[in-house]
Amino acid sequence: MDELAGGIRRVTLPLPARPGHVHAYLLPGEDGWTLVDTGLGLPDAKERWAAELDGLPGRIGRILVTHFHPDHVGAARDVGELTGAPVVQGRLDYAQCVQAWADDDWAHILVDWFHRHGVPDEVVSELVEQGSLYRPFIRYQPDPTLVDPGDHVDGWTVVAAPGHADGQLMLHRDGVLVAADHLLDRISPTVGLWPRSREDPLGDYLEALEATIALDASVAVAGHGEPLTDPAGRARELVAHHRERLAATAAALGDEPRSAYAVSFPLFGAELKAPTRRFAVAETLSHLERLVREGGARRHESAGAVAYTAA
Ligand SMILES: [Zn+2]
């Protein structure tokens, strides 16, 4: 456990895939600590958390899950059982959590969706399998306390941070931003379009980045990597990055309709393994859909297939 400025403590937990770690944070408060995020629900999650929290002065008042991705929500139930603290999760995020991790139809929905976007049969099953690899390590808390942007959690303001996940939440207080995966040092957070999600996640993300610039926090701690000493500056870099990627996406389109799968090759390269291709297709789609809304591309739908041309 590391001690950061303002009495915030950081716990770093292992991940089997890149970036190899995820951070959880302990925020000091009048009414116990607020634990933000929980890591994967690996078989030894409870023992690991017991060891991390051993010797911590004071109790855990609540556990806040920033978003439903496996590395953040995975051990929520374990830590809830260990500490007896209630789990707090965003209303929209919890709905999407249940949809992704408890709906047996989800794999079929993904298969149809990859087909619609031009992924060949032999690749579809590989991409869908990738998504279920983490399933055994997701033990979210059923019936969490639901919160919405603008609510307060032990003196922290809950701030919406859509893009990486529609319902992702941050916490803000006195210039300190607990940024989840909204802003990361060096890595550009993935912003993908997935089935049953908001239709323009990149548009949501760019708006949320502008709001982050306006918030002008003095420091941000994130789900991965080191604290950011210039959160607004990092948000500006990410806006510029996506503007470049939008231009590259437009340049990959022509008169012949191309699927998101096809466009993911010039954008992300031909030599991707399944886990990366899966994100590449979703990320290509979020850029294509933003372009359509900005008048930089056209979408064509026929016979259950979606393709794009230059505007
Ligand atoms: Zn993450």
Side-chain angles (χ1 to χ4, degrees):
M1 191 180 287
D2 308 312
E3 191 144 356
L4 309 179
I8 294 177
R9 304 205 182 185
R10 179 174 75 181
V11 175
T12 302
L13 300 155
L15 290 183
R18 287 206 303 167
H21 75 275
V22 60
H23 298 307
Y25 294 94
L26 287 152
L27 314 178
E30 301 279 294
D31 184 23
W33 298 89
T34 298
L35 170 61
V36 179
D37 287 340
T38 63
L40 277 180
L42 294 168
D44 67 345
K46 210 180 253 181
E47 288 75 16
R48 190 180 284 273
W49 271 110
E52 288 288 353
L53 298 178
D54 185 42
L56 182 76
R59 65 187 187 93
I60 303 294
R62 65 211 62 74
I63 300 155
L64 181 123
V65 171
T66 61
H67 63 296
F68 74 96
H69 293 171
D71 48 334
H72 298 261
V73 77
R77 194 190 301 183
D78 302 81
V79 193
E81 286 170 3
L82 180 70
T83 61
V87 173
V88 179
Q89 194 167 356
R91 191 179 309 277
L92 171 60
D93 188 67
Y94 182 66
Q96 293 194 340
C97 182
V98 172
Q99 185 174 277
W101 307 126
D103 184 346
D104 292 335
D105 283 343
W106 186 245
H108 298 119
I109 291 166
L110 275 177
V111 167
D112 288 348
W113 183 82
F114 279 123
H115 274 143
R116 256 168 81 72
H117 294 294
V119 180
D121 284 342
E122 65 276 16
V123 181
V124 165
S125 52
E126 224 187 342
L127 297 194
V128 171
E129 267 166 36
Q130 280 301 322
S132 44
L133 287 183
Y134 282 109
R135 235 173 144 133
F137 310 122
I138 298 159
R139 290 198 292 275
Y140 66 84
Q141 175 67 55
D143 303 317
T145 303
L146 298 177
V147 289
D148 292 295
D151 288 352
H152 291 90
V153 173
D154 197 35
W156 293 78
T157 305
V158 175
V159 179
H164 178 68
D166 288 344
Q168 180 175 247
L169 298 178
M170 304 189 289
L171 293 176
H172 180 246
R173 181 181 189 169
D174 301 331
V176 179
L177 186 64
V178 180
D181 288 356
H182 177 61
L183 299 177
L184 301 176
D185 180 30
R186 294 199 293 260
I187 310 169
S188 171
T190 60
V191 177
L193 178 68
W194 298 97
R196 290 196 188 164
S197 63
R198 283 174 55 80
E199 290 175 356
D200 179 21
L202 184 56
D204 292 339
Y205 186 51
L206 291 170
E207 252 180 58
L209 288 172
E210 294 298 340
T212 305
I213 294 167
L215 192 65
D216 201 23
S218 49
V219 66
V221 295
H224 312 271
E226 288 308 304
L228 300 153
T229 51
D230 180 12
R234 182 62 182 139
R236 281 192 200 93
E237 284 174 8
L238 289 164
V239 170
H241 166 76
H242 284 292
R243 285 285 149 210
E244 280 171 27
R245 297 295 286 170
L246 282 164
T249 308
L253 297 174
D255 295 337
E256 280 297 305
R258 301 188 79 185
S259 68
Y261 179 70
V263 177
S264 78
F265 281 74
L267 283 182
F268 289 89
E271 300 299 323
L272 297 185
K273 296 215 166 72
T276 325
R277 178 66 62 196
R278 175 184 163 87
F279 281 102
V281 172
E283 183 114 10
T284 300
L285 262 172
S286 74
H287 286 73
L288 287 166
E289 285 298 318
R290 178 90 289 262
L291 274 181
V292 167
R293 283 159 181 78
E294 292 183 358
R298 286 209 187 111
R299 184 199 311 110
H300 309 267
E301 274 192 72
S302 66
V306 179
Y308 298 84
T309 54

